[in-house]
Amino acid sequence: MVIMSMSSSPAFLPVLERIADEIERTPGRGRPADYIPALAACDPRSFGMAVAELDGTVHGVGDWRQPFSTQSITKVFTLALDLGREGDELWEHVGREPSGNPFNSLVQLEYENGIPRNPFINAGALVVTDRLQTRSGDAAGELLAFLRAESGNPGLDFDKGVAASESQHGDRNAALAHFMASYGNIDNDIPVLLDQYFRQCSVAASCADLALATTFLARHGIRADGSRLLTRSQAKQVNAVMLTCGTYDAAGDFAYRVGLPGKSGVGGGIIAVVPGRCAICVWSPGLDERGNSVAGVAALDRFTTLTGLSVF
């Protein structure tokens, strides 16, 4: 077993190659999300993984440069962009607690007067996107510009087909938005908000792109150009909410197995953060029953085991 101490300089590529080999020999990869045609067509045995160090060095294996649908992963970046603008006022409109319910559930909203449990369930992400829209005038455009800058990839873009599919199957999200608006927790017109939200979720990016874009959280809030997006305390807040709420209603199991702040998406991607060291992105489109990549969780489990890099 290759164990690395926190004080050593990790050689990431041999670890990633070992993980990719183990994943390749593992049967049972789950099933792609089937409610979006572009996702349903993905090969569940596809696998890519990338690690971005704080200086921008990236190591990768497998399909690490193949773009995929980011889906809910983008919720981390819109949260950071809005939190950096309005600070603690945001937390008056969205909570920081695990939901214990499916990511698109309406149940808790009525009990809790239109305040979503956390920013990563759909209701919470709609609130964050709404608030970023109010402050920027184009929440999805703000997100895309951020991802392009942090990844160094000006070619990143929305996938119009995925956005259209999201819109066609968006009745539950519309219901969530209207319900929260009835409590005064949505500012923008619902059609505008939904368009922004569906575009946000449709961004296509690779493991390399997303690992690089996530390193600002490993740098405690500092962007690739050296400017500060979040205070150190705010970066800690985002990482904490990722750890407790970032993998739908499997966050406890993810923390137990992986031990890192992480955020998954139903496109099969997962980002994870080792504060002060690196950011990771893994992609494999086969999902478990709770919407997380089967191979992705297994790969991150092996990564923290082999390297000893964890927040615990």
Side-chain angles (χ1 to χ4, degrees):
M1 180 179 291
V2 182
I3 296 290
M4 301 172 181
S5 71
M6 290 294 286
S7 61
S8 67
S9 178
F12 287 120
L13 189 55
V15 173
L16 296 180
E17 289 172 339
R18 176 171 173 177
I19 292 170
D21 181 63
E22 292 179 6
I23 295 295
E24 177 64 28
R25 292 184 279 108
T26 302
R29 297 282 191 90
R31 297 175 56 186
D34 57 9
Y35 59 92
I36 300 173
L39 303 186
C42 290
D43 179 0
R45 295 197 65 81
S46 296
F47 176 82
M49 189 171 185
V51 176
E53 299 187 66
L54 303 189
D55 63 0
T57 302
V58 187
H59 314 271
V61 290
D63 302 311
W64 67 297
R65 293 195 178 278
Q66 179 176 328
F68 62 90
S69 189
T70 55
Q71 295 293 308
S72 289
I73 290 174
T74 58
K75 295 173 182 177
V76 170
F77 305 111
T78 52
L79 171 62
L81 288 166
D82 186 72
L83 184 61
R85 276 180 162 81
E86 67 168 316
D88 286 346
E89 185 181 344
L90 169 64
W91 302 119
E92 298 174 14
H93 300 269
V94 61
R96 302 183 294 271
E97 295 293 334
S99 68
N101 283 313
F103 60 87
N104 59 357
S105 173
L106 280 154
V107 175
Q108 282 175 328
L109 279 177
E110 182 150 22
Y111 290 119
E112 297 174 356
N113 300 315
I115 305 295
R117 271 291 177 100
N118 67 69
F120 296 147
I121 56 175
N122 286 17
L126 284 163
V127 168
V128 174
T129 298
D130 177 67
R131 299 187 70 77
L132 183 59
Q133 176 69 14
T134 297
R135 283 153 184 76
S136 68
D138 183 7
E142 189 86 358
L143 165 71
L144 187 62
F146 176 84
L147 292 175
R148 285 174 171 174
E150 297 306 292
S151 68
N153 182 0
L156 288 186
D157 211 343
F158 306 112
D159 184 320
K160 294 180 180 178
V162 170
S165 289
E166 298 265 12
S167 180
Q168 290 164 9
H169 297 84
D171 290 340
R172 178 64 67 95
N173 286 315
L176 291 167
H178 282 290
F179 192 82
M180 291 186 292
S182 74
Y183 283 95
N185 202 23
I186 295 292
D187 295 331
N188 292 277
D189 291 340
I190 302 301
V192 172
L193 170 58
L194 292 174
D195 177 66
Q196 290 287 329
Y197 180 70
F198 295 144
R199 289 170 64 213
Q200 164 191 318
C201 292
S202 78
V203 172
S206 69
C207 291
D209 296 325
L210 290 171
L212 284 166
T214 306
T215 52
F216 78 99
L217 288 171
R219 290 191 293 264
H220 308 294
I222 296 176
R223 297 184 58 170
D225 64 3
S227 64
R228 182 170 283 282
L229 174 66
L230 301 175
T231 67
R232 192 180 182 97
S233 178
Q234 288 171 333
K236 179 191 71 174
Q237 292 170 6
V238 173
N239 281 329
V241 177
M242 287 173 67
L243 180 69
T244 58
C245 308
T247 46
Y248 309 119
D249 53 343
D253 186 61
F254 185 83
Y256 175 84
R257 290 184 62 185
V258 175
L260 293 175
K263 181 72 193 85
S264 61
V266 295
I270 308 174
I271 57 172
V273 180
V274 184
R277 299 303 296 266
C278 62
I280 310 150
C281 181
V282 61
W283 170 65
S284 186
L287 309 180
D288 61 23
E289 67 278 1
R290 290 182 288 189
N292 297 310
S293 170
V294 173
V297 174
L300 289 168
D301 183 353
R302 291 299 289 150
F303 179 85
T304 54
T305 299
L306 291 171
T307 64
L309 296 176
S310 168
V311 297
F312 300 111

